[in-house]
Amino acid sequence: METVFQTFHQAQSRYAGPLLATTLSPIPPDDDPTLLRRFHAESNVFSIHDDIQKYIKARPSYLPHPEASAWIEIYVAYWKALGEILRAETGHHRDDWAIKVYEAWKEILTLLIRGYSPTSGFEAWTMPCLYTVGKYLRVFAIKADEEQSKTSGQDEPVKMELDGLGDDVMDSVEKNKWLEDAARVINEVFRLCISDRAPLEDSRKWGIYNTTNLLFKTYFKLNSIGLSKNILRALQATKADLPPIERFPKSHIVTFKYYVGVIHFLDEEYVRAEQSLTEAFHMCHKNAHRNKELLLTYLIPTHLHTSHTLATPTLLSTRLDLHYIFYNLLRAIRRGCLADFSNRMMAHESSYVKRRIFLSLERARDLCVRNLLRKVWLLEGGKENTRVKIGTFAAGMRCSMFYSAWTPNPSPSPSDDEGETVSEEYVRAEIDAMMEDDEVECLIAGLIYKGLIKGYISRDHGIVVLNRKGEAFPGTGV
């Protein structure tokens, strides 16, 4: 215990919030992996309050009595939570071990929130403790929901995997009782920050974006994007009272802009999404490869809609995850291969849905059709011929189905999936669906309306009259 409380008193004397937060972590430091086991073993349930009181009040000049008493209660709860965690890791646990861990850890956060009342008087510099405890509350809530959903018992020792906390994809567990409960508690931390009326130099508002990011992460896991919008509205309403966002740590800003960008992306506000995501991308540390991949996961589809541009193979080749899910699809768009496009969408459907980009990518089918029609036009003479029969375009689309399905890829990508071939039945169904010239005419009309083709349709003559002076297919150079 002495080591933990030496750090506690050092943090108190230096007003070092991040250092203080390390004393409330469920993960031991790398240089002392047995610290938490020793901390828990040095006391018992009967004497823990007195033992912690002895260490907390060893230097009474640092802490007033009400504040010292609040910290004592917090570290007693911390000791009890460590006991639940250690029992789970060693295999001495019951079927409801994850719920016990969650409830014990929730008590720490509840006591911390209470510590910022006027009675206890915690100062704003201690806010990192709230974030640290809240971050792990979310992890334990997810674990509790997972364990509760299992029908079989747990016979083997449990490994508490507390790393990799950045997941924000939709949860596959239908019931999220404990994560929803954690969201309510973390929301109290958000209100604690945003409602502070102290001068900015001593305000809890400096923790607002860190707490907001934790809420975003929780709501995204719950697939409750609407609740995230409520948080954005609350921030907008109090924007005048908040410090300028530029004065916050870059890590807070990058994460915040990432989630704001994704929210705009899901609302199909692609211009605003591109702005937020691009700002976050440029602020990322050069070695933050994982963060850049997360940002590019949404920036690549966003650019398909805002500027109709495709990510280059060079960009994708340096990031294996993005190469796997995007390379073949973007190649199909670039080549105008409709069957390949459909095949890739089906092959990676689960990945796209999990990342919430399926609908956005599906709408990029228009770019694939545009590139195909451009090829047909070039074969018909290009700029020398601005009048193309609708039947010619329809024939080109039918040929694309056969060519994409049965022509071998001359330079297969390493990310090609085994067995990812188009069946004859699937191809015939696609071709039958696009056999009528009237349907192709409707498709071309849609592309003209969206600005992907410049020209007009002459229905009396059954032809498409393309722009002669400028680009007939904007964004392609012709």
Side-chain angles (χ1 to χ4, degrees), residues 24-272:
L24 290 172
S25 172
I27 300 178
D30 294 336
D31 58 350
D32 192 358
T34 63
L35 175 64
L36 300 186
R37 291 185 181 275
R38 297 199 314 271
F39 177 85
H40 187 265
E42 289 175 10
S43 188
N44 57 66
V45 69
F46 301 106
S47 62
I48 182 61
H49 188 279
D50 293 337
D51 291 340
I52 290 180
Q53 179 175 286
K54 178 182 67 176
Y55 284 106
I56 292 284
K57 295 189 174 182
R59 302 179 185 181
S61 60
Y62 282 107
L63 300 172
H65 177 73
E67 185 176 353
S69 298
W71 283 116
I72 291 169
E73 295 301 323
I74 289 168
Y75 280 97
V76 169
Y78 176 64
W79 180 88
K80 293 178 180 178
L82 285 181
E84 297 293 346
I85 294 172
L86 293 173
R87 276 191 286 275
E89 288 183 340
T90 56
H92 300 95
H93 57 81
R94 296 173 294 182
D95 291 342
D96 61 348
W97 65 269
I99 298 174
K100 292 293 184 182
V101 170
Y102 169 78
E103 291 177 338
W105 200 260
K106 176 184 172 182
E107 179 66 14
I108 303 174
L109 187 55
T110 302
L111 291 171
L112 267 173
I113 295 172
R114 196 178 302 162
Y116 290 90
S117 64
T119 305
S120 301
F122 285 4
E123 297 181 26
W125 65 266
T126 61
M127 289 294 294
C129 295
L130 281 171
Y131 177 78
T132 296
V133 176
K135 176 178 67 173
Y136 290 112
L137 182 72
R138 174 182 174 275
V139 175
F140 294 137
I142 293 172
K143 195 65 179 176
D145 285 326
E146 290 175 353
E147 289 299 315
Q148 193 172 50
S149 68
K150 291 180 180 179
T151 55
S152 59
Q154 181 67 266
D155 298 326
E156 298 179 358
V158 178
K159 181 180 179 181
M160 300 297 293
E161 295 184 358
L162 302 178
D163 296 327
L165 308 179
D167 58 313
D168 62 355
V169 296
M170 288 185 290
D171 198 358
S172 58
V173 181
E174 294 182 0
K175 297 182 179 179
N176 298 285
K177 172 184 176 182
W178 301 108
L179 189 58
E180 290 174 356
D181 184 65
R184 286 189 287 270
V185 180
I186 297 170
N187 195 49
E188 292 182 27
V189 179
F190 175 80
R191 290 198 295 268
L192 189 69
C193 295
I194 202 169
S195 62
D196 191 20
R197 293 293 177 262
L200 281 183
E201 58 270 17
D202 300 318
S203 177
R204 293 192 294 269
K205 287 187 171 71
W206 291 105
I208 190 68
Y209 286 112
N210 216 10
T211 306
T212 298
N213 295 337
L214 184 57
L215 268 178
F216 282 160
K217 199 175 292 188
T218 306
Y219 289 150
F220 270 62
K221 188 73 173 177
L222 289 168
N223 199 25
S224 301
I225 311 301
L227 296 177
S228 298
K229 296 178 186 177
N230 293 341
I231 298 297
L232 286 180
R233 283 191 284 269
L235 289 174
Q236 187 64 30
T238 59
K239 186 177 181 180
D241 299 327
L242 294 175
I245 192 171
E246 297 80 12
R247 296 178 61 186
F248 285 82
K250 279 190 177 181
S251 59
H252 297 192
I253 302 173
V254 169
T255 306
F256 177 74
K257 287 187 177 294
Y258 162 73
Y259 281 108
V260 171
V262 174
I263 291 171
H264 290 321
F265 176 87
L266 297 176
D267 283 342
E268 298 182 5
E269 298 177 357
Y270 295 115
V271 174
R272 298 176 68 183

Side-chain angles (χ1 to χ4, degrees), residues 386-407:
T386 59
R387 299 169 183 267
V388 182
K389 292 182 179 179
I390 294 175
T392 302
F393 280 135
M397 297 184 75
R398 297 183 192 110
C399 290
S400 172
M401 296 299 178
F402 285 104
Y403 177 83
S404 300
W406 290 301
T407 300

Side-chain angles (χ1 to χ4, degrees), residues 276-391:
S276 295
L277 293 170
T278 302
E279 289 175 358
F281 186 83
H282 290 315
M283 292 182 69
C284 264
H285 190 275
K286 62 180 181 179
N287 294 327
H289 303 298
R290 176 57 180 160
N291 289 345
K292 289 185 176 181
E293 283 193 5
L294 288 172
L295 288 161
L296 287 171
T297 299
Y298 296 96
L299 268 175
I300 290 173
T302 297
H303 283 165
L304 291 176
H305 294 275
T306 57
S307 58
H308 303 153
T309 55
L310 306 179
T312 63
T314 303
L315 174 66
L316 297 177
S317 64
T318 59
R319 296 170 170 86
L320 294 180
D321 288 347
L322 297 180
H323 189 271
Y324 175 72
I325 64 174
F326 285 126
Y327 178 83
N328 290 313
L329 182 71
L330 297 182
R331 184 184 62 187
I333 295 175
R334 186 176 290 109
R335 295 167 59 193
C337 298
L338 294 177
D340 277 356
F341 181 90
S342 298
N343 195 34
R344 302 306 175 183
M345 288 296 295
M346 290 198 319
H348 296 294
E349 181 178 355
S350 60
S351 296
Y352 294 152
V353 170
K354 190 177 182 181
R355 292 170 172 83
R356 304 182 179 89
I357 60 176
F358 180 85
L359 290 178
S360 177
L361 292 174
E362 177 61 36
R363 292 191 179 98
R365 185 184 295 271
D366 288 342
L367 294 179
C368 187
V369 175
R370 187 272 307 269
N371 290 343
L372 171 61
L373 298 184
R374 171 181 170 272
K375 285 185 175 182
V376 174
W377 174 63
L378 291 174
L379 289 173
E380 287 290 303
K383 291 186 177 181
E384 301 300 324
N385 180 21
T386 59
R387 299 169 183 267
V388 182
K389 292 182 179 179
I390 294 175

